[in-house]
């Protein structure tokens, strides 16, 4: 079932350890490399040295929430080409509208549609 | 004769059960009837010539409204105070609410000379009004609390559900290695139960939105025939397993409609899944649709299933009603599908109802979809 490795690296920013583990394992089973950060601050630190191919960003996180992290990411010109997909358990229409209005490239509601997420990521990375 | 007419007027004014007073443009009292004297607690000689402010009117009312300014304004523009409700004050200091009618008395040059004020005590009415207002505010804030509780609960439940559904899916699909049939079966149950819980959460959220009047339709044009096809395809696996025959009879006059596609899909999907759930092996399920009249499509989802007994008929569209007694164990469902479907159809301006000849006689669920929506 596991896919051949590709050379794409996905950064996952997610505070819940089990949700993090699920996304990491899913992506690795599908051949991606992953970087994981449990909060916004450590993600921004990681981004100083690495430019991932795509970022999955949880919205509801303590301390710095997904919107704040997104804003910081967009301030960094080196990351201009990096697409950011929001993952969120807040799935009301207003929540999605707010996420799209903030400028995120895409939105995936939780629980995540596993196959859908992989399809989406492949679409953005043309693989 | 003249005197007797005067006497009559005097008696009317003095025996009336209303406050009757006159004041000049400064607000000084020039007349105070007997009822006013007993109501406010001032003898005539104590009040005549005194200003209403400080006697029967406090400079400001309990809510802080400037009553002195109001009295000044009334003297300037009496026409704007023909009917006026305001707080007044008894001699004891107790506050009361009076409904006043005010009429200016003009001098020969047409200038306001005095104002005649007739008042009735509405304190009790005012209190009742305030209590109703408070109760309404409390109900509104409770409803808001409910909505935000549901939204939060939904979010909090999604995080663990993400792990339950996600990990069980990876395992049951053998993404992380082979498992035996029993393990696959059990993991399938975990996954399905997780999905079931998720649809329950979604339905509760939807229902609370409808109830709060916050559910909006997202109208678009789409082909109803395609939607029927997709809904049946969705249950075709289960139909094959149960040897249930799926039938469609869609009149050619049914085609493009303007409606909320996601909600109509949910309605048809709910009805078809219900039929599947309640139809025994070897039975039949069908969708029938036709344009009736100029502006309406009539849809019927029918089955040869267990039917609906007359005694249960009133519960069909009630929330959580399916979760009763023996049905619930045998036929798992959220119990919210039908009430929600009915509300979605009603949001479109249509109607939903059902017919059943009774136990084991099958059911027919109907809904109408108006076509002339803007």
């Amino acid at each position: 079932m596991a896919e051949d490795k590709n050379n794409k690296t996905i950064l996952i920013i997610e505070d819940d350890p089990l949700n993090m583990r699920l996304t990491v394992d899913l992506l690795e089973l599908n051949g991606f490399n992953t970087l994981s950060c449990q909060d916004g601050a450590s993600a921004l630190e990681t981004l100083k040295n690495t430019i991932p191919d795509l970022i999955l960003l949880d919205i509801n996180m303590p301390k710095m929430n997904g919107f704040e992290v997104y804003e910081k990411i967009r301030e960094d010109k080196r990351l201009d080409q990096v697409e950011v997909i929001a993952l969120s358990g807040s799935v009301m229409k207003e929540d999605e509208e707010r996420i799209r209005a903030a400028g995120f490239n895409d939105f995936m509601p939780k629980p995540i549609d596993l196959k859908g997420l992989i399809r989406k990521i492949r679409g953005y990375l043309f693989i | 004769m003249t005197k007797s007419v005067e006497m009559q007027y005097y008696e009317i004014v003095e025996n009336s059960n209303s406050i009757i007073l006159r004041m000049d443009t400064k607000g000084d009292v020039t007349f105070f009837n007997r009822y006013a004297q007993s109501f406010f607690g001032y003898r005539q000689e104590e009040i005549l010539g005194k200003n209403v402010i400080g006697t029967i009117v406090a400079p400001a009312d309990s809510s802080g409204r400037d009553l002195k300014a109001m009295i000044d304004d009334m003297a300037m523009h009496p026409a704007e105070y023909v009917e006026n409700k305001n707080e007044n004050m008894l001699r004891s200091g107790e506050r009361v609410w009076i409904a006043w009618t005010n009429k200016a008395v003009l001098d020969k040059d047409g200038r306001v000379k005095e104002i005649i004020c007739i008042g009735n005590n509405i304190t009790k009415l005012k209190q009742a009004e305030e209590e109703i207002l408070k109760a309404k505010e409390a109900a509104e804030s409770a409803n808001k609390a409910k909505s935000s509780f549901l939204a939060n609960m939904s979010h909090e439940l999604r995080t663990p559900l993400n792990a339950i559904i996600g990990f069980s899916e990876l395992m049951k699909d053998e993404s992380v290695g082979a498992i035996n049939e029993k393990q696959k079966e059990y993991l399938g149950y975990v996954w399905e139960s997780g999905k079931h819980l998720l649809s329950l959460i979604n339905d509760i959220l939807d229902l609370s939105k409808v109830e709060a009047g916050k559910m909006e339709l997202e109208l678009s044009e789409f082909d109803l025939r395609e939607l029927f096809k997709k809904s049946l395809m969705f249950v075709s696996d289960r139909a094959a397993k149960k040897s249930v025959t799926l039938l469609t009879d869609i009149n050619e006059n049914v085609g493009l409609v303007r409606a909320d596609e996601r909600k109509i899909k949910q309605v048809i999907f709910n009805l078809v899944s219900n039929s599947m759930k309640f139809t025994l092996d070897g039975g039949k399920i069908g969708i029938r649709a036709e344009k009736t009249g100029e502006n309406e499509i009539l849809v019927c989802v029918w089955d040869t299933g267990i039917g609906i007994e007359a005694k249960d008929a009133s519960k069909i569209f009630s929330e959580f009603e399916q979760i009763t007694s023996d049905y619930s164990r045998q036929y798992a469902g959220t119990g919210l599908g039908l009430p929600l479907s009915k509300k979605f159809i009603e949001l479109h301006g249509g109607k939903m109802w059902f017919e059943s000849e009774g136990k084991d006689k099958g059911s027919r669920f109907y809904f109408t979809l108006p076509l002339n929506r803007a």
Side-chain angles (χ1 to χ4, degrees):
Chain A
M1 185 78 191
E3 299 276 328
D4 286 343
K5 277 215 109 21
N6 59 46
N7 56 358
K8 303 291 184 188
T9 301
I10 316 288
L11 170 65
I12 306 152
I13 310 164
E14 157 78 74
D15 66 307
D16 181 87
L18 277 183
N19 279 214
M20 169 70 91
R21 178 77 192 275
L22 175 65
T23 314
V24 167
D25 285 8
L26 171 72
L27 290 174
E28 289 186 349
L29 281 167
N30 283 279
F32 294 93
N33 299 313
T34 60
L35 284 169
S36 41
C37 296
Q38 287 220 358
D39 55 57
S42 67
L44 294 172
E45 203 50 48
T46 302
L47 284 168
K48 279 184 185 160
N49 314 313
T50 332
I51 298 180
D53 294 285
L54 189 138
I55 299 171
L56 298 178
L57 175 51
D58 183 32
I59 295 296
N60 304 82
M61 293 187 293
K63 286 183 258 179
M64 209 188 280
N65 70 29
F67 291 107
E68 295 166 294
V69 179
Y70 181 77
E71 224 167 83
K72 293 271 181 228
I73 290 172
R74 282 300 167 236
E75 279 169 15
D76 188 339
K77 293 292 161 228
R78 295 174 309 126
L79 302 172
D80 266 358
Q81 302 302 312
V82 182
E83 260 123 349
V84 182
I85 300 176
L87 303 182
S88 178
S90 302
V91 297
M92 309 283 256
K93 214 175 94 200
E94 313 82 83
D95 302 317
E96 185 177 343
E97 277 165 6
R98 197 176 154 214
I99 286 168
R100 299 213 183 259
F104 282 88
N105 295 89
D106 219 322
F107 165 71
M108 278 297 267
K110 282 184 188 173
I112 295 162
D113 167 8
L114 303 187
K115 295 184 181 80
L117 179 62
I118 294 300
R119 253 198 317 273
K120 214 164 239 189
I121 294 175
R122 291 212 167 107
Y124 279 112
L125 299 179
F126 305 105
I127 51 172
Chain B
M1 196 66 193
T2 320
K3 198 167 188 186
S4 134
V5 170
E6 250 175 37
M7 195 61 194
Q8 272 182 37
Y9 282 125
Y10 175 82
E11 276 178 10
I12 289 170
V13 169
E14 289 303 323
N15 293 324
S16 139
N17 262 338
S18 293
I19 301 155
I20 301 177
L21 68 87
R22 291 170 74 132
M23 60 181 187
D24 63 18
T25 51
K26 295 197 299 286
D28 291 343
V29 177
T30 59
F31 180 83
F32 209 66
N33 78 337
R34 206 182 288 156
Y35 184 80
Q37 295 167 34
S38 75
F39 181 79
F40 284 110
Y42 290 99
R43 286 196 309 276
Q44 182 141 279
E45 61 273 23
E46 291 174 320
I47 189 97
L48 290 185
K50 294 260 176 65
N51 199 276
V52 291
I53 298 295
T55 52
I56 63 167
V57 183
D61 79 2
S62 314
S63 70
R65 182 182 172 199
D66 187 346
L67 295 178
K68 168 126 180 41
M70 184 198 77
I71 295 290
D72 291 345
D73 191 46
M74 193 191 292
M76 299 288 288
H77 311 101
E80 284 166 29
Y81 291 88
V82 172
E83 285 187 342
N84 186 45
K85 288 174 188 168
N86 59 264
E87 195 186 82
N88 284 81
M89 182 169 66
L90 304 185
R91 186 176 199 165
S92 62
E94 188 189 330
R95 302 299 173 102
V96 290
W97 272 81
I98 311 284
W100 295 100
T101 59
N102 305 302
K103 175 87 172 75
V105 180
L106 308 179
D107 64 14
K108 57 181 191 328
D109 301 322
R111 280 189 303 247
V112 178
K113 192 173 73 175
E114 283 193 334
I115 299 166
I116 299 174
C117 311
I118 302 179
N120 287 297
N121 182 6
I122 55 159
T123 308
K124 280 198 179 123
L125 199 68
K126 193 75 192 171
Q127 280 164 351
E129 221 171 69
E130 270 165 19
E131 271 160 32
I132 289 170
L133 208 67
K134 258 186 222 155
K136 189 172 159 259
E137 274 163 15
E140 276 165 2
S141 99
N143 201 35
K144 242 184 224 156
K146 185 185 87 171
S147 295
S148 92
F149 167 77
L150 282 173
N152 282 332
M153 175 206 74
S154 151
H155 169 248
E156 293 305 323
L157 292 179
R158 270 165 217 276
T159 303
L161 260 184
N162 189 39
I164 293 169
I165 295 173
F167 284 118
S168 61
E169 183 170 327
L170 287 181
M171 277 185 87
K172 99 182 157 57
D173 291 350
E174 299 190 320
S175 303
V176 283
I179 51 174
N180 69 35
E181 281 310 302
K182 197 127 220 171
Q183 288 166 336
K184 210 183 237 178
E185 185 194 344
Y186 287 2
L187 280 164
Y189 295 149
V190 173
W191 185 79
E192 272 169 34
S193 301
K195 285 283 203 184
H196 182 182
L197 197 51
L198 179 61
S199 62
L200 190 55
I201 294 167
N202 289 338
D203 284 359
I204 290 173
L205 268 185
D206 278 354
L207 207 57
S208 82
K209 260 195 185 171
V210 173
E211 278 170 359
K214 279 195 196 150
M215 181 64 87
E216 287 165 20
L217 293 180
E218 286 170 57
L219 299 177
S220 66
E221 199 158 86
F222 61 93
D223 191 345
L224 206 49
R225 308 172 70 92
E226 284 298 310
L227 201 61
F228 292 141
K229 227 184 273 171
K230 273 188 226 155
S231 314
L232 284 182
M233 233 144 68
F234 206 87
V235 291
S236 61
D237 275 0
R238 269 188 291 164
K241 253 184 227 163
K242 290 174 81 173
S243 311
V244 165
T245 314
L246 298 176
L247 296 162
T248 49
D249 175 13
I250 314 299
N251 194 300
E252 274 174 20
N253 62 20
V254 175
L256 289 180
V257 292
R258 192 171 160 72
D260 186 323
E261 185 171 5
R262 193 185 71 84
K263 293 192 179 73
I264 299 297
K265 194 164 153 188
Q266 208 175 325
V267 169
I268 296 170
F269 179 72
N270 275 335
L271 294 178
V272 171
S273 319
N274 265 348
S275 284
M276 186 58 74
K277 223 180 298 175
F278 296 114
T279 299
L280 305 178
D281 293 9
K284 288 179 194 148
I285 293 173
I287 299 182
R288 223 167 35 226
E290 62 176 326
K291 196 168 153 193
T292 54
E294 267 311 288
N295 288 318
E296 205 170 68
I297 287 178
L298 175 69
V299 180
C300 173
V301 174
W302 59 270
D303 62 64
T304 59
I306 62 168
I308 297 157
E309 290 183 65
K311 71 174 171 63
D312 294 326
S314 64
K315 298 181 195 161
I316 291 296
F317 290 115
S318 308
E319 289 139 33
F320 288 112
E321 270 299 349
Q322 196 232 305
I323 306 187
T324 52
S325 64
D326 27 335
Y327 276 174
S328 55
R329 257 158 272 137
Q330 214 176 335
Y331 308 102
T334 66
L336 291 172
L338 282 177
L340 200 54
S341 297
K342 189 164 187 275
K343 288 195 163 127
F344 283 173
I345 292 300
E346 285 165 356
L347 273 177
H348 281 84
K351 283 191 208 111
M352 182 179 272
W353 71 96
F354 70 92
E355 290 170 0
S356 175
E357 315 307 332
K359 198 171 181 332
D360 300 325
K361 298 273 172 64
S363 316
R364 295 182 298 278
F365 278 83
Y366 294 91
F367 69 84
T368 60
L369 199 59
L371 287 172
N372 54 349
R373 290 190 66 88

